[in-house]
Amino acid sequence: MQLVGSLLLYTTPDSRDGEYIPFLPNNDPAAETCSDSEDNHISKDLLERNEESQSYTPKEMLLSTKFYFLWFTFFFNGVVVMYISTLYKAYGETFITSDKFLATVGALAAICNAGGRIIWGMFMDRFSYRMAMLVISISTAVLQLTYILTPEGGETMYLIWVCLMFLMFSGNYALFPTAIAKAYGPKYVSINYGLVFTSQVAATPIGAFLATQIKDSLGWFGFFGVTGAISVLSAVLASFTKI
């Protein structure tokens, strides 16, 4: 599959008849200034000046408070994502004996993970990063805090809860790249997003270490309480991030 994907890669054209043609929304001032009867055309030089004026360098981004709100939100979410994706089956095995059913849950959860990215991207386009992240974080907290009740609901409740959790955390990978582009501009978006993504480098080892310690000392009930509290922290940070 990776080979097929690489064969489908190609260099996107950046010109037509020698003229640079960027995508600009209808309400963009540059589009209004440089438009003709058919298309909104602007010169490459004008586009670069427009990007330059609206973009933050990595250094400038690191000096902003908003970067650290985004970084720690992604960090906390990354810890919870790691817990959910690695331990959902282990918890299911405490009251579900069918390995075939658990495999089916994993397959459906993967579909929710993929489809959720589209859904959350559309949600952010319609509303905002802050609104989308608040919904994701609060919903994840509720799901984690009630996850301990799934044995009472049996396989059906377990399936629904796991799929909903995967649907929620999938939004992280749709929201953060767009949030970085909106907050700091398009020119340095790749490196700026890379700096925010370093939060996952920290989240994975710390989360893996704490997962064993918390579960062994507090049990599943305490474990889900802690992950729910972490999601609440993400919601608090998101509430102060106006993007």
Side-chain angles (χ1 to χ4, degrees), residues 179-197:
I180 294 300
K182 284 189 172 184
Y184 299 106
K187 187 173 179 65
Y188 305 101
V189 66
S190 296
I191 188 170
N192 286 345
Y193 176 61
L195 289 171
V196 174
F197 200 82

Side-chain angles (χ1 to χ4, degrees), residues 12-50:
T12 56
D14 61 356
S15 65
R16 186 176 69 189
D17 297 328
E19 186 173 8
Y20 187 76
I21 307 169
F23 169 80
L24 288 173
N26 292 332
N27 60 352
D28 191 291
E32 295 175 0
T33 303
C34 304
S35 61
D36 56 27
S37 59
E38 294 182 355
D39 301 297
N40 290 325
H41 292 176
I42 115 178
S43 69
K44 189 173 182 178
D45 290 341
L46 180 56
L47 177 71
E48 289 177 349
R49 289 199 301 271
N50 190 45

Side-chain angles (χ1 to χ4, degrees), residues 5-239:
S6 64
L7 292 174
L8 294 174
L9 295 174
Y10 68 97
T11 302
T12 56
D14 61 356
S15 65
R16 186 176 69 189
D17 297 328
E19 186 173 8
Y20 187 76
I21 307 169
F23 169 80
L24 288 173
N26 292 332
N27 60 352
D28 191 291
E32 295 175 0
T33 303
C34 304
S35 61
D36 56 27
S37 59
E38 294 182 355
D39 301 297
N40 290 325
H41 292 176
I42 115 178
S43 69
K44 189 173 182 178
D45 290 341
L46 180 56
L47 177 71
E48 289 177 349
R49 289 199 301 271
N50 190 45
E51 284 187 348
E52 192 75 44
S53 64
Q54 297 177 0
S55 296
Y56 291 74
T57 65
K59 182 179 179 180
E60 291 171 333
M61 181 185 71
L62 291 172
L63 294 174
S64 69
T65 304
K66 190 177 294 182
F67 166 78
Y68 296 96
F69 278 93
L70 289 167
W71 195 95
F72 279 103
T73 302
F74 207 1
F75 170 77
F76 289 134
N77 287 355
V79 171
V80 176
V81 167
M82 193 274 297
Y83 290 161
I84 293 172
S85 60
T86 59
L87 294 177
Y88 80 91
K89 186 175 180 180
Y91 178 61
E93 288 174 337
T94 62
F95 63 95
I96 296 173
T97 58
S98 174
D99 192 62
K100 181 179 180 180
F101 175 78
L102 291 172
T104 301
V105 171
L108 293 174
I111 294 173
C112 291
N113 184 17
R117 303 180 190 217
I118 301 172
I119 294 171
W120 288 114
M122 294 172 62
F123 188 97
M124 180 174 174
D125 288 342
R126 183 174 178 81
F127 298 100
S128 65
Y129 160 83
R130 179 168 62 174
M131 179 64 70
M133 187 53 65
L134 280 171
V135 173
I136 288 174
S137 299
I138 293 172
S139 298
T140 301
V142 172
L143 290 167
Q144 286 292 296
L145 293 173
T146 56
Y147 198 18
I148 197 69
L149 302 176
T150 53
E152 303 300 324
E155 293 181 347
T156 301
M157 183 176 178
Y158 173 78
L159 170 63
I160 294 172
W161 255 240
V162 171
C163 287
L164 285 175
M165 286 189 292
F166 273 73
L167 182 67
M168 291 301 125
F169 80 61
S170 67
N172 289 289
Y173 306 103
L175 299 188
F176 281 101
T178 309
I180 294 300
K182 284 189 172 184
Y184 299 106
K187 187 173 179 65
Y188 305 101
V189 66
S190 296
I191 188 170
N192 286 345
Y193 176 61
L195 289 171
V196 174
F197 200 82
T198 59
S199 60
Q200 303 309 286
V201 177
T204 301
I206 293 174
F209 173 76
L210 291 178
T212 303
Q213 300 298 318
I214 294 171
K215 189 173 78 64
D216 290 345
S217 57
L218 300 178
W220 286 111
F221 180 80
F223 178 78
F224 296 141
V226 170
T227 55
I230 292 173
S231 292
V232 171
L233 285 175
S234 294
V236 172
L237 289 173
S239 68

